[in-house]
Amino acid sequence: QVQLVESGGGLVQTGGSLTLSCAASDRTFSSYGMGWFRQAPGKEREFVAAINWSGATTRYADSVKGRFTISRDSAKNTVYLLMNSLRPEDTAVYYCASTTKTYGVMLRADGYVYWGQGTQVTVSS
């Protein structure tokens, strides 16, 4: 069973940058597609970014494309989300998640099996 732990959240000013990390508990993580999602209070959890098992293929929500970068270091069992040009609208709890698929990328929350507990990102105006 894969356990995911997010870190790196915090308070940042509009236009600033922040990098989130997601550490996985075991080696099976390196075989799976991964994703980042976020959820603001009173709103539905939404897709942010996804990456395939090798890191060669990435996908982004339109709202973050060009500003956020997802990457992974399989040797460290860690996936990252680099967030640039942050806006107040990016304020949310950010979650990392893992599929059990060994190919492709997943864009829907119901396609993910394992979830972290989330880390708060707050962007001040």
Side-chain angles (χ1 to χ4, degrees):
Q1 185 176 7
V2 177
Q3 182 181 48
L4 305 174
V5 180
E6 302 96 336
S7 62
L11 176 65
V12 65
Q13 288 187 311
T14 296
S17 298
L18 203 61
T19 299
L20 306 183
S21 299
C22 175
S25 60
D26 61 50
R27 58 185 171 86
T28 62
F29 168 89
S30 65
S31 299
Y32 299 153
M34 299 288 298
W36 285 96
F37 291 77
R38 66 188 183 187
Q39 188 167 25
K43 296 185 178 180
E44 191 173 56
R45 188 169 298 187
E46 65 175 349
F47 169 77
V48 176
I51 190 166
N52 78 333
W53 73 272
S54 70
T57 303
T58 58
R59 294 286 299 277
Y60 299 93
D62 289 342
S63 59
V64 307
K65 192 172 185 178
R67 300 188 297 122
F68 291 11
T69 302
I70 187 171
S71 62
R72 69 190 304 165
D73 185 340
S74 293
K76 297 180 179 179
N77 288 340
T78 302
V79 65
Y80 305 94
L81 185 68
L82 171 60
M83 303 182 291
N84 293 320
S85 301
L86 283 162
R87 307 165 180 169
E89 299 93 316
D90 296 318
T91 296
V93 176
Y94 283 71
Y95 300 89
C96 66
S98 178
T99 72
T100 55
K101 302 295 184 181
T102 58
Y103 63 92
V105 293
M106 185 68 67
L107 307 183
R108 297 186 302 151
D110 62 7
Y112 288 82
V113 176
Y114 302 105
W115 293 83
Q117 294 300 306
T119 186
Q120 177 71 48
V121 173
T122 302
V123 184
S124 62
S125 60

